[in-house]
Amino acid sequence: GNEISRKPEVSEPFSALAFKIATDPYVGRLAFFRAYSGRLDAGSYVLNNRTAKKERISRIYQMHSNKQNAIDYIEAGDIGAAVGFKDIKTGDTLSAEKSPIILESMDFPDPVIGIAVEPKTKADVDKLGMSLAKLAEEDPTFQVKTDEASGQTVISGMGELHLDIIVDRLRREFKVEVNQGQPQVEYKEALTGSANHREVYKKQTGGRGKFADIVFTLEPAEEGKVGLEFVNEIKGGNIPKEFIPSVEKGFRDSMKNGPLAGFEVDAMKVTLKDGSFHPVDSDSLSFELAAKLGFKDSAKAARAVIMEPIMKLEVLTPEENMGDIVGDLNRRRGQVNSMDDRAGSKVVKAEVPLAEMFGYVTSLRTLSSGRATSTMEFDHYAETPSNISEGVIAEIKGNNE
């Protein structure tokens, strides 16, 4: 990716950024976009740079609140909406086929809270799946997944209010009534130390057996890196080249299911040092399984910890309630960072674990007789204290049994 500059002029090649996807009951899926350069005529083709596929824009609309006016073309600087995209997501760059470009997209944080939902009637099962898929298409910070252990549909988002609105939209727009479970915090797991490990996987049944032997170091990833960093240091074919990708795949798959309570591991580094193989019994599956088993066994030695989302909280309160509110935040394992004045009130800024913030709005009203207000946004993940993580692990193990 080298940088190129585009002038925001009509004479330049076409480029636009899709910033919102809406589902309209009459025309289907509307993609709102802003043209940054060039000109696009209705009925012509554009290139979607994320999928590298070209799409035909059949009609372009100018939006007036909820009415659409069809227009013939759109030029640099204008905002329009188009119908007929096969595959488009918020933040995609559209450009002229001959001159691809990727505009700076928005940054979407990972969800921090999830709740299980189920339809109230059997008739709504299919409708619920379709409705959630449409909502996930519109909103990149909202995710839907099926919990493998319990078979429940879990929706995750940026906070309690976010999910309340989603459930409300299901009822209003899609006419699907749902029952919802208790909100669950989206924990993650991380490694804090390094571990050297040898994993030998052997299985002898009649006929061909299974054999794989790997020696590796498991450690935390470097600051700011996400995903699996896999370093292969094997010399001289102790493990044949064709089995190395299977070892990497084994480690990558096991990151989805952490060693402590099955939460996702965001980042780690594996260095494959040595190993051996059997000319007959070794195959790629054996090496993949050896990596998965090795990860489970060595993650304890690499001091795996549970990470929880920490929220940035700002409370605006009258001075007389300040003491109570700060005391309440301390009870919620919060860390108060600053207290300032703003327009005759006090502003308390703090960082608080999301797990302690359920129902906070209600208790804040009680503490301040309804005069204080708060805003909260996700800040970062941090290690949980051991008493908390033991509770989390025990709860997960209890649920699975």
Side-chain angles (χ1 to χ4, degrees):
N2 25 1
E3 288 199 5
I4 45 176
S5 60
R6 262 301 148 91
K7 293 191 180 64
E9 286 166 9
V10 181
S11 54
E12 293 263 321
F14 178 72
S15 70
L17 187 72
F19 62 86
K20 177 184 164 80
I21 311 291
T23 314
D24 187 280
Y26 304 112
V27 290
R29 194 160 54 163
L30 268 177
F32 289 75
F33 61 91
R34 166 154 190 217
Y36 281 92
S37 66
R39 151 182 183 143
L40 175 72
D41 293 296
S44 56
Y45 286 90
V46 291
L47 176 75
N48 180 343
N49 288 287
R50 178 179 58 87
T51 59
K53 292 198 170 74
K54 59 179 197 172
E55 302 249 16
R56 183 170 180 269
I57 310 273
S58 46
R59 298 195 294 282
I60 304 174
Y61 294 110
Q62 201 173 26
M63 300 300 289
H64 285 282
S65 72
N66 56 0
K67 290 195 271 303
Q68 301 108 358
N69 297 345
I71 50 177
D72 297 333
Y73 65 91
I74 186 167
E75 289 187 335
D78 291 345
I79 288 179
V83 189
F85 283 102
K86 290 190 184 66
D87 174 15
I88 187 157
K89 287 196 167 81
T90 307
D92 284 358
T93 303
L94 309 170
S95 67
E97 290 173 68
K98 302 272 188 301
S99 41
I101 185 172
I102 294 185
L103 299 169
E104 193 177 332
S105 175
M106 311 82 167
D107 207 13
F108 301 118
D110 285 341
V112 291
I113 175 178
I115 56 172
V117 292
E118 57 177 30
K120 283 192 177 159
T121 60
K122 284 275 181 282
D124 283 349
V125 175
D126 294 346
K127 250 167 72 178
L128 177 70
M130 279 168 46
S131 315
L132 288 174
K134 276 187 179 157
L135 289 169
E137 222 167 53
E138 292 179 19
D139 182 351
T141 57
F142 167 66
Q143 288 177 9
V144 185
K145 57 178 187 284
T146 306
D147 187 328
E148 286 163 17
S150 61
Q152 292 173 309
T153 303
V154 177
I155 58 174
S156 340
M158 300 313 298
E160 274 184 292
L161 181 63
H162 187 187
L163 296 180
D164 282 348
I165 288 171
I166 296 273
V167 170
D168 187 54
R169 284 187 61 188
L170 281 175
R171 194 179 318 123
R172 276 200 335 253
E173 289 173 33
F174 298 100
K175 311 280 186 282
V176 180
E177 294 281 345
V178 295
N179 298 325
Q180 48 198 63
Q182 281 297 317
Q184 301 289 336
V185 175
E186 300 269 334
Y187 292 101
K188 289 192 169 155
E189 293 183 27
L191 309 173
T192 56
S194 72
N196 293 312
H197 186 77
R198 174 171 213 148
E199 184 69 35
V200 181
Y201 174 67
K202 251 203 291 224
K203 206 169 185 184
Q204 205 58 49
T205 46
R208 272 189 65 180
K210 298 260 186 214
F211 180 84
D213 166 23
I214 52 175
V215 178
F216 62 90
T217 305
L218 185 68
E219 55 192 330
E222 290 163 28
E223 273 295 301
K225 284 205 171 156
V226 177
L228 172 66
E229 194 184 335
F230 185 77
V231 182
N232 175 21
E233 287 183 356
I234 289 191
K235 305 273 189 296
N238 285 359
I239 297 178
K241 281 211 170 45
E242 63 265 28
F243 295 147
I244 304 290
S246 309
V247 178
E248 185 174 353
K249 180 176 185 289
F251 281 115
R252 180 159 284 130
D253 288 353
S254 46
M255 286 173 74
K256 294 191 185 100
N257 216 327
L260 295 174
F263 297 115
E264 197 176 335
V265 178
D266 249 3
M268 66 179 194
K269 182 177 177 181
V270 173
T271 311
L272 187 59
K273 297 254 169 94
D274 195 9
S276 64
F277 72 106
H278 186 286
V280 180
D281 289 355
S282 286
D283 59 5
S284 44
L285 187 65
S286 306
F287 277 98
E288 192 181 318
L289 284 167
K292 286 183 175 168
L293 296 166
F295 172 72
K296 279 233 163 4
D297 294 343
S298 58
K300 296 270 192 295
R303 297 204 297 282
V305 293
I306 289 197
M307 311 285 280
E308 63 178 349
I310 305 289
M311 308 302 276
K312 205 152 75 186
L313 176 76
E314 192 175 288
V315 183
L316 194 65
T317 166
E319 194 162 343
E320 60 262 32
N321 304 114
M322 178 114 147
D324 295 343
I325 284 168
V326 171
D328 178 59
L329 287 177
N330 289 336
R331 273 198 297 283
R332 294 173 186 269
R333 300 193 285 128
Q335 183 185 352
V336 177
N337 293 339
S338 70
M339 304 182 194
D340 305 313
D341 296 282
R342 187 189 300 163
S345 300
K346 293 279 181 196
V347 179
V348 181
K349 289 185 179 166
E351 289 178 359
V352 196
L354 177 67
E356 306 288 341
M357 293 303 286
F358 291 133
Y360 181 66
V361 179
T362 325
S363 61
L364 181 66
R365 279 198 199 112
T366 318
L367 286 172
S368 66
S369 328
R371 292 164 68 194
T373 56
S374 70
T375 56
M376 177 165 83
E377 61 174 306
F378 169 70
D379 196 62
H380 63 280
Y381 270 88
E383 190 179 327
T384 52
S386 57
N387 59 332
I388 302 288
S389 59
E390 279 161 20
V392 171
I393 295 169
E395 190 183 331
I396 294 287
K397 297 235 161 98
N399 287 354
N400 290 350
E401 274 167 16

